[in-house]
Amino acid sequence: MKIRVHARHVDVSPEVRAMAMRKLETLARLLPPDATADVEFSEERNPRIKQRSVAEITIMARGRVLRARAAGTAFGEAMLHAVRNVRQEASDLHHRRRAHPHRQLKAA
């Protein structure tokens, strides 16, 4: 799986970037090998919002798009929440694919 991590108008530590890569590599076993993942970190500019750090994950796998967005007080916390959400979507997609891999047409 190809993974791209980037930040929008914020600085993200290399540890958080490495954690994002590690967490998404574990998801690769649930997805097709040609899937691509895009992780974007950003920050809410509204001072009234306490959970300002935002992590968004978008995975494109054979015509399907899995997307998760989560906010937290730090980028690491937001990343963990987003990974948990997208892992559930990937698991559902994996099980749906395995339930009926090749539906056979009934002979008349």
Side-chain angles (χ1 to χ4, degrees):
M1 180 164 70
K2 182 179 168 189
I3 302 170
R4 184 178 143 222
V5 179
H6 60 97
R8 176 172 272 183
H9 305 296
V10 293
D11 293 326
V12 179
S13 69
E15 294 84 20
V16 173
R17 289 177 187 265
M19 180 189 67
M21 297 287 282
R22 231 181 19 253
K23 294 289 184 181
L24 288 176
E25 285 171 356
T26 61
L27 276 176
R29 63 185 174 80
L30 296 174
L31 298 167
D34 61 342
T36 60
D38 185 36
V39 181
E40 181 178 292
F41 293 102
S42 62
E43 189 174 66
E44 292 287 342
R45 301 291 185 196
N46 187 346
R48 290 185 178 186
I49 298 175
K50 291 189 190 262
Q51 296 183 335
R52 299 177 75 176
S53 302
V54 177
E56 293 183 46
I57 302 172
T58 305
I59 298 175
M60 287 173 256
R62 291 189 184 161
R64 303 280 178 136
V65 177
L66 309 177
R67 191 169 299 211
R69 181 180 195 272
T73 55
F75 286 118
E77 178 185 351
M79 181 65 199
L80 291 176
H81 290 304
V83 166
R84 185 181 62 218
N85 293 343
V86 81
R87 181 182 295 136
Q88 183 62 47
E89 286 187 45
S91 177
D92 291 347
L93 178 65
H94 176 76
H95 292 305
R96 238 181 283 132
R97 235 182 24 196
R98 295 291 178 216
H100 304 287
H102 302 287
R103 288 190 173 177
Q104 299 288 331
L105 293 176
K106 292 184 180 179

